[in-house]
Amino acid sequence: MNIEIDLTQNLKSKPNADQIAFGTIFTDHMFVMDYSTEKGWYDPRIVPYQPIALDPAAMIFHYGQTIFEGLKAYTTPDDRILLFRPEKNFRRLNLSADRMSIPAIDEQFALAGLQKLIEVEKEWVPKAVGNSLYIRPFIIGTEPNLSLAPSKTYQFIIILSPVGSYYKDGIQPIKIHVEYEYTRAVRGGTGFAKTAGNYAAAYKAQEKATTEGYSQVLWLDGIEKKYIEEVGSMNVFFKINGEVITPELNGSILEGITRMSIIELLKGWGITVIERRISLEELYNAANCGELEEAFGTGTAAVISPIGELNWGNRNIVINKSEIGSLSQKLYDTLTGIQTGKLEDLNGWTVEVK
Ligand SMILES: *Cc1c(COP(=O)(O)O)cnc(C)c1O
């Protein structure tokens, strides 16, 4: 399929990424492709960034048939542009698509479309250390129809947003509120998919945590409310007695690409990583006998977010004196080093945009 390119006549001025709030500024162009049951995916194109016109009955507005991805493009010190494991994002987009009864995209073609878009927008990839171009691919059901059935038409869109460094004042460990009332996801539900409702449904708990002075929520399993699942919209890791433990994928946990990369890095360093269920009780006991050495969340936005404190009811644990641990720091430096081309990419994770 050929990608039509329609360039804008009105280029926007480029802001300093450090001075903008995350996800509020968008580049000059976007990638769009349509789907219908008769034609499959068709008409891939790069067009000026613009609003999309949808019928008020479009299915996305009513039953939430939509999925998204999130990844970043980085500038290297020698001015090349790198993507980090982008094929994994399109693989995951298709896993989300399958869960939400959305037709699959051709993953390689989607990646080619993204590369073309970034080529057009290469001046928008921030160069300052820590800044990057956030990439948001998404699919929406567009058929105007209020019946409860999958849409017969869709749009696949990729938009780009320059973002500043997540850690403007250095890495600060965060305080976490353990959530007992609300559940993020349950086995058999949509937790493993990046679909809109999972995130809107989490605002309520986040609001509660914010009000009480915590920066994020620790999500427990929805059935027994005993086992740890994720922290905010990040995967979570604990270093206990020299070993690293992360909750095993169970259908309600989203499989992060940062998570996957960290597991591979740790194994390569000869550190034991165990994917298994881990209860809050176990964590509490490990903290009490001095075996809980480090804890951190992982995701594309922050890469590593150290957890300094966990609170639930009248229990509170402080981890590593609320400082970033040495393993967390090493993981952060290694991953960001590979992503930005400062360290050699021994795993073949980066893809250059030419
Ligand atoms: C996106 C996301 C993550 C992290 O995934 P990455 O691929 O590492 O960015 C973790 N948990 C949830 C719920 C997410 O939506």
Side-chain angles (χ1 to χ4, degrees):
M1 260 190 300
N2 194 35
I3 302 172
E4 287 289 324
I5 301 181
D6 172 17
L7 296 178
T8 179
Q9 299 304 311
N10 304 299
L11 292 176
K12 302 173 189 170
S13 64
K14 295 176 185 67
N16 177 346
D18 268 328
Q19 281 155 13
I20 51 189
F22 174 84
T24 54
I25 301 284
F26 300 94
T27 68
D28 293 305
H29 300 89
M30 60 190 197
F31 176 90
V32 185
M33 181 159 69
D34 294 306
Y35 177 93
S36 73
T37 20
E38 303 80 48
K39 294 196 217 173
W41 287 107
Y42 67 98
D43 197 13
R45 56 202 185 272
I46 289 169
V47 295
Y49 187 93
Q50 62 193 286
I52 45 182
L54 289 176
D55 193 289
M59 292 184 124
I60 167 65
F61 297 133
H62 305 277
Y63 311 125
Q65 214 191 358
T66 179
I67 54 174
F68 67 93
E69 268 304 323
L71 66 160
K72 286 172 169 178
Y74 309 85
T75 309
T76 67
D78 57 351
D79 253 349
R80 293 175 303 128
I81 297 171
L82 297 182
L83 296 168
F84 184 72
R85 313 187 83 176
E87 70 287 350
K88 298 279 183 209
N89 291 91
F90 290 116
R91 178 86 276 276
R92 189 170 63 191
L93 188 68
N94 268 345
L95 292 178
S96 301
D98 181 63
R99 179 65 184 85
M100 302 307 288
S101 301
I102 289 172
I105 51 155
D106 178 326
E107 294 166 28
Q108 279 178 354
F109 184 76
L111 179 52
L114 170 61
Q115 288 187 317
K116 193 93 210 148
L117 177 65
I118 296 179
E119 224 179 284
V120 169
E121 302 289 59
K122 61 175 179 288
E123 299 299 322
W124 279 94
V125 188
K127 293 190 197 304
V129 175
N131 296 355
S132 56
L133 186 68
Y134 184 77
I135 301 161
R136 170 54 60 90
F138 63 105
I139 301 179
I140 52 175
T142 53
E143 187 195 349
N145 187 337
L146 297 183
S147 36
L148 271 173
S151 180
K152 293 190 184 67
T153 59
Y154 297 86
Q155 268 195 330
F156 170 51
I157 302 175
I158 307 177
I159 54 175
L160 307 173
S161 174
V163 294
S165 170
Y166 192 87
Y167 293 113
K168 290 191 174 66
D169 315 304
I171 304 183
Q172 309 289 343
I174 50 174
K175 280 172 71 177
I176 302 292
H177 164 79
V178 180
E179 179 57 44
Y180 274 101
E181 185 184 356
Y182 298 107
T183 299
R184 192 192 90 89
V186 286
R187 241 177 301 145
T190 57
F192 69 88
K194 267 184 148 42
T195 185
N198 290 346
Y199 303 84
Y203 292 158
K204 204 81 185 159
Q206 178 61 44
E207 248 170 63
K208 214 167 78 178
T210 308
T211 313
E212 292 170 21
Y214 297 92
S215 48
Q216 303 227 0
V217 168
L218 186 85
W219 296 107
L220 299 175
D221 76 277
I223 298 164
E224 297 178 71
K225 289 280 176 186
K226 263 166 69 178
Y227 300 101
I228 296 167
E229 299 229 312
E230 299 203 50
V231 56
S233 52
M234 291 185 285
N235 295 116
V236 67
F237 287 77
F238 303 98
K239 180 164 176 254
I240 299 176
N241 209 9
E243 293 180 341
V244 177
I245 298 165
T246 189
E248 68 187 348
L249 302 174
N250 58 358
S252 53
I253 292 172
L254 189 125
E255 184 175 12
I257 293 156
T258 320
R259 175 188 185 276
M260 171 189 311
S261 307
I262 280 171
I263 292 173
E264 288 172 43
L265 280 179
L266 289 171
K267 287 187 174 163
W269 295 341
I271 294 171
T272 307
V273 193
I274 308 163
E275 295 177 64
R276 66 160 168 88
R277 282 204 310 195
I278 174 164
S279 68
L280 197 54
E281 197 60 30
E282 178 183 348
L283 200 69
Y284 186 67
N285 293 336
N288 278 344
C289 59
E291 291 187 345
L292 176 57
E293 299 162 54
E294 299 185 33
F296 53 92
T298 70
T300 296
V303 184
I304 300 275
S305 187
I307 299 171
E309 211 174 312
L310 272 176
N311 181 277
W312 64 106
N314 51 12
R315 288 182 167 184
N316 193 68
I317 55 184
V318 174
I319 303 161
N320 195 38
K321 303 193 217 76
S322 215
E323 285 166 15
I324 182 167
S326 55
L327 187 64
S328 311
Q329 184 73 55
K330 183 176 173 191
L331 283 165
Y332 179 81
D333 293 342
T334 307
L335 262 188
T336 54
I338 295 170
Q339 288 167 340
T340 57
K342 287 185 195 99
L343 290 180
E344 196 185 347
D345 175 15
L346 298 168
N347 302 287
W349 284 340
T350 55
V351 173
E352 187 174 345
V353 180
K354 295 243 166 89

